[in-house]
Amino acid sequence: MGTFSIEGGKPLQGEITPQGAKNEALQILCAVLLTSEKVTITNIPDIIDVNKLIHLLGNLGVKIRKLGKGAYTFQADEVNVEYLETEAFKKEGGSLRGSIMIVGPLLARFGKGYIPKPGGDKIGRRRLDTHFEGFIRLGAKFRYNREDHFYGVETKSKLQGTYMLLDEASVTGTANIVMAAVLAEGTTTIYNAACEPYLQQLCKMLVSMGAKISGIGSNLLTIEGVESLGGCEHRILPDMIEIGSWIGLAAMTRSEITIKDVSWDNLGQIPNVFGKMGITLERKGDDIYIPAHKNGYQIKTDIDGSILTIADAPWPGFTPDLLSIILVVATQAKGEVLIHQKMFESRLFFVDKLLDMGAKIILCDPHRAIVIGHNFQSQLKATTMTSPDIRAGISLLIAALTAKGTSTIQNIEQIDRGYENIDERLRAIGANIVRV
């Protein structure tokens, strides 16, 4: 297991460019299975989860060529569907949650798709019902082997378009169903669809391949099935979760940082929520400039003066992936905030590490925590920690960069799953971090 050694308490300075979006990349890469023609994708992040999916596509028979940093071509003209039933696939597919999104394209194009129970973050139960209920509505038959947790959907005829009301606005569920529906016969209408920017990007890519999709950006998608799709070129958006992480890092370390090329129009509530935390953000073109918060930052109250509550919600609400960052930022703010994590049941359990560092946090239940900020009057203390998931890991890393002394973070593979060369990029703006 890898380890980070971090000497905290040092202000940082400089420019940092966000990587390509992890969550978009996982959807976009699965979409290459929908066509036999060549697909070129750029701005792919070089992170563990994405690289695992690229490797899995290669094992499925997709021809992959690296053009340069973050740029690849993919051609799925000789897909080996039999690989899905091998022990090697059961092991490989089970190590990555994003692998679930290969099922929709394979079902649409080859009439069958299988997947072992996917792995990923340990943040509570993450149901797959939305995916498979959607496939069943399109005409597929579902089967599940309880002994080895192996899921499958099959159809002997072409999928049929239909109307469906999703039980939840699942991003990966919507992506999977959309990719299946683009090659179905007739019209598919998906209500309560996820509509976040990365799902919009997937739909725009599919349209450029020849799909007919209307309602992009809303929660009501209408898809007219087509016979086949062609190749395309697609560029992945910058990662909004990483952008939020850099904002939190700048505020906590009282650093002057410019985040380059952030695609402001796709950030949604992120600038607004950090603004409620008292953090100053300046828009300079398509960059975010964060001045050094020498005098700290003060959490705003609600209009009636009551304690501010920050909660996650499906897009265009605040993304759950940044609540961990908001929580750690609050530990040094002036004021109090209630963090309400509604969408995942175990994501706040990393707060015990922050308590060990001297933070004032009351964990009310698995979903709610009250944070009482130190206002930089008391510095966090260095300690040894273990990263439980990607977002908690980066939050602990931010805390360590502000702490007095040298902290150790173990199990950093969790951080590497979502953040590209994080230690090198932090050192470039002055951080004292060593990968052991």
Side-chain angles (χ1 to χ4, degrees):
M1 290 286 181
T3 299
F4 282 145
S5 176
I6 303 142
E7 186 181 335
K10 181 182 178 183
L12 313 177
Q13 186 170 21
E15 296 181 348
I16 197 155
T17 301
Q19 67 188 34
K22 167 185 176 278
N23 291 339
E24 179 185 343
L26 296 175
Q27 298 175 39
I28 295 299
L29 288 169
C30 293
V32 307
L33 292 165
L34 285 165
T35 179
S36 61
E37 296 184 18
K38 190 176 292 185
V39 176
T40 302
I41 304 175
T42 56
N43 204 31
I44 297 176
D46 182 12
I47 55 177
I48 288 176
D49 276 12
V50 169
N51 293 337
K52 277 186 177 181
L53 182 55
I54 292 173
H55 187 259
L56 189 155
L57 290 172
N59 286 343
L60 268 169
V62 178
K63 296 167 186 169
I64 301 169
R65 182 175 165 225
K66 186 169 185 178
L67 306 177
K69 179 174 168 52
Y72 290 79
T73 62
F74 302 87
Q75 189 160 11
D77 57 348
E78 294 181 355
V79 175
N80 177 19
V81 184
E82 282 66 40
Y83 176 70
L84 298 174
E85 300 185 62
T86 65
E87 289 300 319
F89 172 68
K90 289 180 181 180
K91 182 177 180 181
E92 186 177 18
S95 69
L96 172 67
R97 182 163 185 83
S99 61
I100 181 65
M101 286 182 288
I102 68 171
V103 177
L106 291 171
L107 175 66
R109 191 165 160 219
F110 301 103
K112 58 183 177 181
Y114 309 125
I115 197 72
K117 185 176 181 179
D121 288 327
K122 307 303 180 188
I123 55 176
R125 180 172 176 259
R126 302 172 77 176
R127 60 199 293 277
L128 299 175
D129 301 53
T130 305
H131 300 250
F132 292 106
E133 286 173 4
F135 298 145
I136 292 167
R137 293 297 303 272
L138 290 169
K141 291 186 176 179
F142 171 73
R143 61 185 177 89
Y144 175 53
N145 185 333
R146 291 185 179 276
E147 290 184 10
D148 52 7
H149 300 290
F150 201 62
Y151 302 85
V153 279
E154 299 171 341
T155 180
K156 292 183 179 178
S157 58
K158 208 166 171 83
L159 296 174
Q160 297 296 311
T162 186
Y163 170 86
M164 63 182 81
L165 172 62
L166 302 189
D167 61 341
E168 63 174 348
S170 163
V171 176
T172 55
T174 302
N176 230 345
I177 295 166
V178 166
M179 287 188 281
V182 291
L183 294 181
E185 278 187 351
T187 300
T188 300
T189 303
I190 307 172
Y191 194 28
N192 195 29
C195 52
E196 66 161 18
Y198 303 145
L199 197 284
Q200 295 176 40
Q201 284 283 97
L202 171 66
C203 290
K204 291 173 184 176
M205 173 183 170
L206 293 173
V207 168
S208 73
M209 296 167 72
K212 296 179 180 179
I213 306 172
S214 59
I216 297 172
S218 76
N219 68 347
L220 180 62
L221 295 174
T222 303
I223 303 161
E224 257 184 77
V226 296
E227 280 295 320
S228 62
L229 296 178
C232 72
E233 294 183 2
H234 180 83
R235 182 171 178 81
I236 292 173
L237 286 175
D239 196 312
M240 71 170 81
I241 313 304
E242 194 182 78
I243 291 164
S245 303
W246 300 135
I247 295 171
L249 170 74
M252 275 284 282
T253 57
R254 294 195 272 190
S255 304
E256 182 183 1
I257 291 176
T258 298
I259 311 171
K260 303 292 291 181
D261 303 324
V262 299
S263 188
W264 264 91
D265 294 340
N266 290 296
L267 292 179
Q269 292 283 347
I270 292 172
N272 180 46
V273 171
F274 280 102
K276 288 181 178 181
M277 295 297 295
I279 296 169
T280 300
L281 305 176
E282 295 180 24
R283 181 170 185 170
K284 295 188 174 181
D286 206 28
D287 302 342
I288 295 176
Y289 170 71
I290 304 119
H293 288 68
K294 299 291 186 184
N295 298 318
Y297 44 94
Q298 183 166 355
I299 300 172
K300 297 177 181 178
T301 61
D302 285 338
I303 292 173
D304 63 358
S306 59
I307 185 172
L308 177 69
T309 297
I310 295 180
D312 59 340
W315 185 271
F318 189 64
T319 172
D321 284 347
L322 281 176
L323 274 188
S324 302
I325 305 294
I326 291 292
L327 189 149
V328 77
V329 165
T331 64
Q332 284 296 2
K334 182 178 181 181
E336 304 81 33
V337 64
L338 171 64
I339 305 294
H340 193 169
Q341 170 62 269
K342 298 177 181 179
M343 296 172 68
F344 299 104
E345 62 198 23
S346 305
R347 219 167 197 172
L348 296 182
F349 289 165
F350 79 101
V351 301
D352 60 336
K353 320 292 193 306
L354 297 174
L355 292 170
D356 290 343
M357 300 177 80
K360 294 180 181 178
I361 304 171
I362 302 167
L363 186 60
C364 308
D365 54 43
H367 293 278
R368 295 176 301 158
I370 297 171
V371 187
I372 303 161
H374 284 311
N375 192 24
F376 292 101
Q377 299 302 306
S378 175
Q379 195 172 2
L380 296 179
K381 301 185 296 289
T383 188
T384 297
M385 303 168 274
T386 299
S387 173
D389 66 71
I390 300 173
R391 308 310 173 187
I394 198 67
S395 301
L396 295 174
L397 177 53
I398 291 170
L401 286 166
T402 69
K404 184 178 182 180
T406 301
S407 294
T408 299
I409 301 180
Q410 299 168 343
N411 195 28
I412 59 171
E413 286 78 7
Q414 286 285 2
I415 301 174
D416 289 335
R417 285 179 49 218
Y419 292 84
E420 180 179 320
N421 300 323
I422 185 73
D423 49 330
E424 293 178 21
R425 297 161 76 200
L426 286 172
R427 281 194 293 272
I429 57 172
N432 193 338
I433 176 171
V434 178
R435 181 184 294 264
V436 181

